[in-house]
Amino acid sequence: METRPHIYWTPCAAHCIDLLLEDIRKLQMHQDPLKKAKEVVRFIYGHTWVLDLMRSFANNHELLRPAVTLFAIAYLTLQSIQKQKQALRSTWAKKHEGVKTRAIVLFDQKFWPYIAYCKVLPL
């Protein structure tokens, strides 16, 4: 910096936001809905007939699927799930995984309010 006084260092805004969301994601209030949303998305995209059913009720809209490294994607997924709330209230599989996912979507009284609380980014 001494040899080049007119060069300034500025952080990458996207990286800073990603780091902020990483810290926010560690809050207990956010961990449970993020984990449950991941289970719901994994179940839907893991079963083609459930995916087709969801697409038919959601007018062919897709849910955003969480990525491993980008923390912003997790919050976009929450917002996408909330946007398709009515489409997700449909028939589910009878196996354990389907019953568990159905219980999250239909009967977990904290799931939808927590998703509404946690979503921070506009689509």
Side-chain angles (χ1 to χ4, degrees):
M1 289 183 64
E2 292 174 9
T3 60
R4 309 247 192 266
H6 299 292
I7 296 178
Y8 299 98
W9 177 83
T10 58
C12 173
H15 181 68
C16 289
I17 290 171
D18 197 45
L19 292 175
L20 286 169
L21 290 174
E22 181 180 1
D23 290 341
I24 291 171
R25 188 177 184 175
K26 293 176 185 174
L27 296 172
Q28 184 61 39
M29 181 93 169
H30 292 239
Q31 287 179 355
D32 190 47
L34 286 169
K35 184 180 118 199
K36 288 179 180 178
K38 191 174 181 179
E39 288 177 21
V40 169
V41 171
R42 185 181 300 129
F43 175 77
I44 290 171
Y45 282 92
H47 298 84
T48 55
W49 71 272
V50 177
L51 180 59
D52 289 340
L53 188 62
M54 190 272 310
R55 285 178 178 155
S56 70
F57 282 103
N59 296 325
N60 288 324
H61 286 101
E62 297 290 328
L63 297 175
L64 294 173
R65 298 168 68 179
V68 176
T69 57
L70 298 175
F71 294 97
I73 297 297
Y75 289 96
L76 289 171
T77 300
L78 288 179
Q79 191 169 29
S80 178
I81 285 175
Q82 186 181 31
K83 189 176 180 181
Q84 299 300 333
K85 180 179 178 178
Q86 288 304 104
L88 292 174
R89 295 175 179 250
S90 61
T91 309
W92 297 88
K94 304 221 184 309
K95 294 182 181 178
H96 174 70
E97 187 180 0
V99 172
K100 185 177 176 184
T101 304
R102 181 176 184 266
I104 291 171
V105 172
L106 297 178
F107 305 118
D108 189 340
Q109 295 178 358
K110 294 180 182 178
F111 182 67
W112 294 109
Y114 279 5
I115 283 183
Y117 176 79
C118 289
K119 69 181 182 93
V120 294
L121 300 173
L123 280 177

